[in-house]
Structures are given as C-alpha cells and as structure tokens.
Amino acid sequence: MKTLNPILLLLVMFFVARTGKTDGKIAKNITVDSLGACQGITYQNGSYFLYGDREVGVMREFKLQKDSLSYQHKEYRFTIKGENMIKHPTGIAHHKGLPTFVGNSVRQNEAGTLWKAVINCINWDGFLKTGTLDGNLLKTIDDDACIQGARPEYVKYKGKWFVATADYGNKANEVRLLNPQALAKATKTSESGVVVQKFTCSPWVQNLHWIESKGILVLIQNQVEGRKWRLTFLDLEKSIATGHEAVLSVIDTDKPDELEGFTFTDRAEKGIAVSSSRKNNVSFMDFSWDK
C-alpha cells in the first residue's frame, strides 16, 4: 500500500476533486528485465517492489533514483522447496499490523480461457528475509466470491482497514471489500463475514491503488481487453453508498500494451506504471489537472 504524506494527499485531493478533466502523460519508458510479464508494482517503506510471472512467480526490489529505478539485487520467489506456488501474482495487499495477502490467477485450461482466483496469506517480513515462501505461506484461500480474478489492496473505509479486490472481465464487474481478519482464517471468500461491502465497476480492472485520507481508490484498467491504459479515480465511500463506482476522474493514454500496475511516487504529479510487455515495461508518468 502506497501512503502519500499529508501535504501531497491534500494536493492530490484538490486536483482530483476540482477538475473536470485529468491528464496523465507518459514522460519516459524504461525496460526492467527478469520479471517475465510484469504484473504489478507496490511501494513499501521506501522500496518499489515489481512482481511478475517468470518461470516462477517472482518479485524484485528497486529504489527510485531521479527518473529511473535502481535494482537492489534482491529477488524474492513465490516458491516452496523450489515449487511454484504463486505463478501469476495479481496484487499485493500489505499494511503494518495486518495480514499480508497476494493474489494469484491459476490457469485451468491450456487455452487460457478458464482461470481460478486464489488469495494467499503470507508472512511478509519472513518472505523478505528468506526470499521464498518456505515457512511463510500461512493460508491459501479460494476466491470463489469473485467473478473473474483477485487483486488485493488495502483500503480504509469508515475508519477501518479492509482488503479490496476487483474483477477483470466485462460482465458484472465488482469491487469487493473483505474483512482481513476473517479472510486470513477462511478457506474460501464466500464464507460468512468475509465479504462485507461491494459495488459494481467498469471492466478490465488489472489492479487497485489506494490513496489514503480522503478515500480515493484508483482502478488500474485497460480501455479494451488486454490493451490501452486507463486510470479511474473513485470516491470509495460514495461508490459503496450507491452500489456503483462514483467516478471523480478518468485518465486514458494511447499506449497500446497491457497496463498491469500503478503507484504514485512521493510527488503528487509523478507516478510509475508497469505493463506486461518485455520491453519498455516501466513508464514514468506526469500528471496535470485542468482547473
């Protein structure tokens, strides 16, 4: 979970709330290798973690240096005794003092038309220390409450922390809020007390990003299936109250590949987006808001 400092939060909220149009421009593209198809990015305690689906599910640690990412020579594998456990990581929900969850999409047929969604509860500190899931995979939960896919991200709603997740497809898409304590003990998300709130949303959601304080949830999306970039800024409380996404602003780009993840940096007008392409898979973005 990325948390901006209070001044930046106010700036972000001011820009999003006051504008009729929000623009995002790709300022620079770089290539980060050894991730397979990159599936997301998360910012934790000064480090950027990029994760993907190489021969095994893998995560690498980076630092932001000027307008580039510097690899810290730390690689983490989602394996136990070398066996792949999270091949296709689809989101990381981490918050200090709460369980850490990693989404996974499991291919069910050779054609890749059927998938099963899984949410894994892991020991985050242990995972960073040892570099594998050996002794650090606490629970595997079948996300049978989903429609298509699991993309966990911590959000705050009415003073409490929940794990939000969303669907990818183009029919009956939802954002669901899960009780993290109940989720950590469950075997499937359809169990009583796990899903506590939900609302419908637009299609092709690849990941989620939370901006704390005023309650902005960013849907990291494709404009069409598997192509072109979209970031949709939502008022989370209003979305839950109405049962449908309450859109504050939408940013579209014409970049043709598959957007997978996004995070703001420590500057409100700067962000980092990642795609599944093998080259130019990390993009630094500049944001401006018309008043």
Side-chain angles (χ1 to χ4, degrees):
M1 181 195 67
K2 172 73 166 80
T3 302
L4 297 174
N5 69 46
I7 293 176
L8 290 175
L9 282 166
L10 290 174
L11 286 171
V12 170
M13 288 307 305
F14 175 81
F15 287 139
V16 173
R18 287 289 300 274
T19 66
K21 182 180 180 182
T22 305
D23 293 319
K25 179 177 67 175
I26 297 171
K28 179 181 178 181
N29 297 305
I30 64 172
T31 298
V32 172
D33 60 19
S34 304
L35 292 170
C38 187
Q39 297 298 307
I41 180 173
T42 184
Y43 178 79
Q44 306 293 341
N45 298 322
S47 292
Y48 294 85
F49 296 93
L50 277 64
Y51 49 93
D53 60 357
R54 211 169 66 200
E55 72 279 2
V56 297
V58 66
M59 183 177 80
R60 286 188 156 201
E61 185 173 346
F62 298 82
K63 295 287 187 182
L64 181 62
Q65 294 185 351
K66 295 183 179 180
D67 59 350
S68 191
L69 290 176
S70 174
Y71 178 45
Q72 300 301 292
H73 303 285
K74 294 179 181 180
E75 180 175 283
Y76 312 91
R77 297 189 173 202
F78 295 108
T79 60
I80 293 179
K81 295 182 179 179
E83 181 182 352
N84 203 8
M85 302 303 295
I86 305 177
K87 166 62 176 171
H88 192 74
T90 53
I92 296 176
H94 175 73
H95 184 75
K96 186 177 180 180
L98 292 170
T100 296
F101 299 99
V102 181
N104 187 26
S105 292
V106 182
R107 187 189 296 265
Q108 297 292 289
N109 63 354
E110 187 173 344
T113 56
L114 294 175
W115 296 80
K116 176 182 178 181
V118 175
I119 298 176
N120 300 274
C121 183
I122 73 168
N123 177 347
W124 178 256
D125 291 337
F127 181 54
L128 296 187
K129 182 177 180 180
T130 67
T132 71
L133 288 176
D134 291 271
N136 296 314
L137 180 59
L138 306 178
K139 190 83 172 181
T140 297
I141 305 113
D142 182 6
D143 189 9
D144 62 338
C146 80
I147 297 165
Q148 187 183 4
R151 287 153 183 87
E153 166 76 334
Y154 268 106
V155 303
K156 199 172 189 179
Y157 173 66
K158 293 190 178 298
K160 295 183 179 180
W161 288 99
F162 296 92
V163 176
T165 185
D167 299 299
Y168 179 72
N170 64 346
K171 294 181 179 179
N173 283 39
E174 293 179 341
V175 172
R176 292 170 296 281
L177 266 61
L178 316 179
N179 180 316
Q181 288 81 13
L183 178 62
K185 298 176 182 178
T187 57
K188 54 186 180 180
T189 56
S190 61
E191 291 178 15
S192 177
V194 177
V195 178
V196 295
Q197 297 286 353
K198 61 183 179 180
F199 59 88
T200 59
C201 69
S202 46
W204 316 126
V205 180
Q206 292 279 17
N207 224 313
L208 299 172
H209 177 67
W210 174 244
I211 304 172
E212 199 179 341
S213 179
K214 295 294 185 177
I216 291 181
L217 179 65
V218 184
L219 304 184
I220 301 158
Q221 298 173 279
N222 300 135
Q223 296 175 39
V224 297
E225 184 175 9
R227 292 192 306 111
K228 301 181 73 174
W229 293 20
R230 171 168 290 169
L231 298 173
T232 303
F233 294 75
L234 305 183
D235 181 319
L236 179 61
E237 289 208 11
K238 188 174 180 181
S239 297
I240 293 172
T242 61
H244 184 69
E245 64 180 18
V247 177
L248 297 169
S249 189
V250 177
I251 298 171
D252 284 346
T253 81
D254 59 0
K255 200 167 190 295
D257 58 354
E258 189 171 19
L259 178 63
E260 297 281 3
F262 172 82
T263 183
F264 277 108
T265 69
D266 286 333
R267 299 174 62 187
E269 72 277 12
K270 298 288 184 180
I272 303 173
V274 299
S275 78
S276 58
S277 297
R278 292 298 195 265
K279 295 183 178 180
N280 294 323
N281 58 346
V282 175
S283 298
F284 294 87
M285 297 185 67
D286 294 334
F287 294 86
S288 62
W289 291 264
D290 295 337
K291 297 182 181 179

